[in-house]
Amino acid sequence: MIPAPFEYARPTSVDEALGLLAGSDDAKVLAGGQSLLSVLRMRLNAPELVVDIGRIDALRGIREVAGGGGAIEIGAMTPYHEILASDEIRTGLRLLHDAVAEVGDPQVRHRGTLGGSLAHADPAGDCGAVALALGAEMVIAGPGGERVVPADEFFQDLFTTAVGEDELLVAVRFPGYPGWGSRYEKFVRTAQDWPIIAVGACVRMADGKTISEARIGLTNMGPTPLRARAVEEALVGMTPTAEAVGAACAAVADGTSPPSDLNGDADYRRHLATVLARRAVLAAAGAA
Amino acid sequence: MTRIELTVDGAKVVDDVEPRLLLVQYLREQLGKTGTVIGCDTASCGACTVHLDGHSVKSCNVLAVQADGAEVTTIEGIATNGELHPLQEAFRECHALQCGFCTPGMIMQSADLLAENPHPTEAQIREGLEGNLCRCTGYQNIVRAVRYAADATSATTDGGAA
Amino acid sequence: MTTTEEAPATAEAAHDGEIGRDRRRKEDRRLITGRTRWTDNIAPPGTLHLAMVRSPYAHANISGIDTRAAAQSPNVVAVLTGADLADTQGVLANAWPITPDQVAPEHKPIAVDRVAFAGEIVAVVVARSAATAADAAELVDVDYDPLPAALDLRAAADATPENGGAIAHPGLGTNNSARWIFDSGEAGTGGNVEDAIAAARTDGIVIEREYRQQRLIPAFMEPRSVVVDPTGEQITMWSATQIPHITRFLLAATTGVPESKIRVIAPDVGGGFGGKLQTTPEEWTAFAVARRLGKPVKYTETRSESLLAAHHGRDQWQKLTLAARADGTVTGLKVELLADLGAYVALVGGGVPVLGAFMYNAIYKFPAYRFDCRTVLTNKTWTDAYRGAGRPEATFAIERLMDELAVELGRDPLEVRRQNWITHDEFPFTTVAGLTYDSGDYESATAQAVDAFGYEDLRAEQARRRTEGDPVQLGIGISTFTEMCGLAPSRVLGSLDYGAGGWEHAEIRMLPTGKVEVVTGSSAHGQGHETAFSQIVADRLGVPFEDVEVLHGDTQVAPRGLDTYGSRSLTVGGEALALAADKVVAKAKPWAAHLLEASADDVEFAHGKFTVAGTSEAKTIQEIALAAFAAHDYPEGIEPSIDAEVTFDPVNFSFPHGTHLCAVEVDTETGAVRLRKYVCVDDVGTVINPLIVAGQVHGGLAQGIAQALWEEAVYDDAGTLLTGTLADYLVPSAADLISFDTAIRSTPATSNSLGAKGVGEAGTIASTPAVVNAVVDALRPYGVHDVEMPCTPARVWRAIQDGSAS
């Protein structure tokens, strides 16, 4: 099926894009299009204007943040396959690399972008929980200039973020995690399916023996990606045995409100989260 | 209508299209490239896979206007001078198709896979084809065909180097 | 005779290399280069495009349809409702009323005043482009008054107007369409099953189980498409169908257009699996609109429409009672079945469970059997054939029960099967269901499979994992199956009230250039008929494989035929061709004798040549074809042609069988099931092309495994299909499956001269119970004795929790 008719604009600068968004009260931003185009084809949405930001060169690329202590900035329109090809990300942001490797399929990873995925904010998307766990910062451009929103405040509800109608997510900044171990545990029914849930864990070891710091993000355990802060704190100082980590992770689903759907009910998701969190943390700690 | 200029299977084309027109619809309906087919509406099946600037994409999930300025290669453009592409030959040789509807997309994705990884393991082939559905073959002979093409290509390459 | 080679069935076949040869397919060149003729690639000049307006309600009265806005939309030519087309749209036929008193609602292509399932067509928009037709379809304003919807099969079966249950078609007063019973005691094919059960309750074993065959969607890769061109003397329909001949006949029978004025073409068809064994509302609507407007029209469904409105499959509840003696000898089986027809009785939908009725006894020789089936109407998409059609359900039931019996006995499930199966020296064997199995060798197939599988080693690993309390448990599943193929002897179909015969037609035209044109009524949609049929003809006529051209799928080119389903193409259509080839040779013989100046009795035919014993004189069949074309010099009293036609009606079904063994790893913490190993040995009779046979087995396995693990069509409480896209209806990809270890044995069938049994459905029929048996086997220590299909991680995990708790 073909989408309903729409006006189409293809700005070449962020300012031009913002101007187009400001001039329309029914515009949709087209990034890689890997989620949006299916929505339009099924006519679940029929915007008047589609603003294609695919030709704004400034939105693409991976760069080290000057004076950022190893922080990396990824342009919002950087496609997944470029992220996967980046040595800096594979070595410095392994959790992001591993999560991106699990997104969709190869064709989707050629077109889909990190910024598009985060701005779409599907709770089953792989990148949100990772951005949250890694304490990413979202650079948002608007009529009044740029602002930086921490991931904690970025995801507001189902498919809803801090990006306003007249704004654009332009980049994502990740602090560096030198020496941390990580694991993205994704649980799917079929390879291509959306995750029932996923858990991303990033762990720093002290002397290779005890956990000194942990960061855990949860995918599809609620209307937004979530961070398991209580478990992160419980892990600090722990020798990562299966028993100890398992006990700490038993509380990983506390306070979450996962969905019930064809793939499983909320109780099953809560249970899965405890298993996957334990496995992710143990693997990240090098103990699996 | 929006003016687009692109290269499809080596030929320059210029057209005015509705912005909502999908790349696959443009290929089929305006260019008559009916070798590329539409199998679903959620970018799940991969039957419409083509190469866009050298990378595999699902052409049902790309607007024609997004391909402006790009180079598109379809199943109809990979044979050279009447010689089948090694993957086309391999699919025939290994009986990697039955009804053949998924085949154009499957071959195009396999070509992308081998371009990125010329010597894939079985697991890598299976994962590399996760976005392409086939209902006939159970995938076994498709996997075999990709390995066959990989071996044939490397044999040729090795032979040339020797 | 049993060999592991592809044994030629006939003496002639043994000489030439075509039978059993792994020829690469003739079909492939166009398919791998994109030079294909899918229906959606076809558009005569001026073609108008159709978009269907479909009901979002499962059950509702239509109180009004406002088409004005749509009709005024740009590019729109017409907007037509069921009422607008009332006189010409015809009806969709049920060709298999399984009982004389079957209750069936009338099925109009476009609903007129009431819709009975979500997805039913209520109006059609005709526009100059597909895009504008879709735009305008959104503007058609339909007023619905929702009615209670019958959705749950078991509830629908019990619903009456008196008890307030929802009735799918209120005017019928019941949801029960038909009741069909086979009882071996009454049929004289065996004993009384109630007696057997009573005896087993006293001093034997009775296993009682209920199994659900979930609703499936065939999900062929090519969405259905239809083009109708009324220009000229005939109305031509191109359709992505398995059944051009049946479609032509029923178009004529239900619309009043003479059959001679209708041509139906199935060009390249992208898979079917039974899903295109249908005459569809979309075809009938396109036909009616093309006639009304006098213009070519085209409709191609979206995938969402396909999943919603193309017929679904399976959807049965099975209540089973197996009786056995304490030593494990099975003494009887009672099957009480509910089959969900959906909203209408489809082309052969009512008969699907009846096809299964003869297969519940499978390869076993127990003496008492009763099958009692009710077909039930609901407000869901209509159901019909899906790969295997009735036989997978039957095989699942008996193979699951044999495992349950083994557990009850505390014995190895293979042992229990051995104790009960028909041994190779007992063929031909007349079963308790009244069929005569002509050949088979279950012992050898099983022995070969067990060996290839490494059965004992895997059992040892299973024991170790159990002892160690490994969170990942190993399960081993067995399925020793048989099926009835080669549908079908026409007299048998007649006795079952089927609306057509089961013959197939073939024609061989010997062209003057020495090439051979072969016409078959068996129309392929991916199976490789062009290749396999070329091999058969090349083999029998001794002509080069490359010189044979197979024509099919067009009622003008191949006017007689009954199409492709039920693993019948080779055993019926292929046999018709083989016999036609024999007829060509027989017709050519007097020509050869005449030209060789010999007595016909002295002329012999082999390797494409007629020779006279004791001389070096010879005439090739091609030379005779040329001589017959010229017709300058031939014997008196015969016609100047060696072309031949044959209509073959089989005398029996064929009975492929096999042993399938599956190992799965079950992660007991998450419920995830991972395929570890799959071995199968299938006896499909004579193999014409081993490459094609292996491909059929692979694909069949994937579909059967998918039923076990992934696929299910799910409706919500309002009757809305929740699995309406391929993102929700989970067809497995390469990454979800493993490489299968498949082997073929060949005990030739006796029902055709080729010795072929058919292979199209074997993998699907056998694999589902093998996988579920493996999953359940892995979880026995957790108190699990069943997991409902599909065995999703959530269901498996829940079964472990429930089993461990009890």
Side-chain angles (χ1 to χ4, degrees), chain C residues 112-123:
Chain C
V112 177
D113 43 29
R114 190 173 56 86
V115 291
F117 71 97
E120 187 160 9
I121 301 169
V122 294

Side-chain angles (χ1 to χ4, degrees), chain C residues 20 30 258 264 267 363 587 602 624 652-653:
Chain C
R30 67 177 188 273
V264 178
I363 65 170
K587 284 181 78 175
D602 297 334
I624 292 170
N652 191 4
F653 297 93

Side-chain angles (χ1 to χ4, degrees), chain C residues 30-116:
Chain C
R30 67 177 188 273
L31 297 168
I32 56 180
T33 53
R35 299 182 60 79
T36 37
R37 290 275 285 176
W38 310 113
T39 301
D40 192 40
N41 295 357
I42 294 162
T47 295
L48 300 171
H49 297 262
L50 309 185
M52 304 300 175
V53 180
R54 295 179 185 274
S55 169
Y57 292 97
H59 194 192
N61 282 321
I62 301 168
S63 54
I65 303 180
D66 185 346
T67 61
R68 285 169 299 180
Q72 287 158 16
S73 195
N75 277 315
V76 170
V77 174
V79 183
L80 299 165
T81 65
D84 294 333
L85 292 170
D87 299 338
T88 52
Q89 68 168 330
V91 294
L92 295 160
N94 161 227
W96 195 352
I98 56 173
T99 60
D101 60 349
Q102 171 181 282
V103 172
E106 185 180 58
H107 190 181
K108 289 282 190 188
I110 304 182
V112 177
D113 43 29
R114 190 173 56 86
V115 291

Side-chain angles (χ1 to χ4, degrees), chain B residues 25-93:
Chain B
Q25 292 166 329
Y26 173 68
L27 293 171
R28 289 177 55 79
E29 293 162 19
Q30 260 166 274
L31 300 184
K33 296 268 180 189
T34 51
T36 302
V37 295
I38 305 172
C40 76
D41 32 27
T42 47
S44 304
C45 80
C48 65
T49 299
V50 300
H51 292 180
L52 183 65
D53 288 333
H55 292 296
S56 62
V57 302
K58 295 181 177 178
S59 62
C60 77
N61 223 19
V62 178
L63 297 171
V65 289
Q66 288 179 287
D68 184 21
E71 191 165 319
V72 174
T73 306
T74 78
I75 188 68
E76 296 174 58
I78 59 169
T80 44
N81 305 324
E83 289 278 303
L84 293 179
H85 185 280
L87 273 161
Q88 290 174 313
E89 188 57 50
F91 269 58
R92 196 187 72 86
E93 177 63 24

Side-chain angles (χ1 to χ4, degrees), chain B residues 20 93 98 135 139-140, chain C residues 24-25 41 135 711 732 740:
Chain B
R20 64 168 166 162
E93 177 63 24
Q98 289 178 30
R135 196 62 160 163
Y139 303 101
Q140 187 146 331
Chain C
R24 302 311 185 258
R25 297 200 322 168
N41 295 357
D135 293 345
E711 295 182 19
F740 312 117

Side-chain angles (χ1 to χ4, degrees), chain A residues 102 122-126 129 184-190 193-200 216-222 224-226 249 252-253 256-261 263-280, chain C residues 669-670 793-794:
Chain A
E102 295 283 332
D122 188 322
D126 293 294
Y184 189 66
E185 282 280 340
K186 180 170 174 170
F187 194 84
V188 291
R189 282 193 56 207
T190 60
D193 193 19
W194 292 90
I196 298 179
I197 69 156
V199 178
I216 298 172
L218 308 176
T219 299
N220 213 18
M221 286 294 290
T224 67
L226 297 172
C249 290
V252 74
T256 64
S257 50
S260 289
D261 58 27
N263 284 330
D265 60 18
D267 282 348
Y268 175 63
R269 282 190 161 85
R270 287 193 193 94
H271 163 75
L272 264 187
T274 65
V275 177
L276 299 191
R278 185 193 77 223
R279 292 178 182 178
Chain C
E669 289 191 303
T670 63

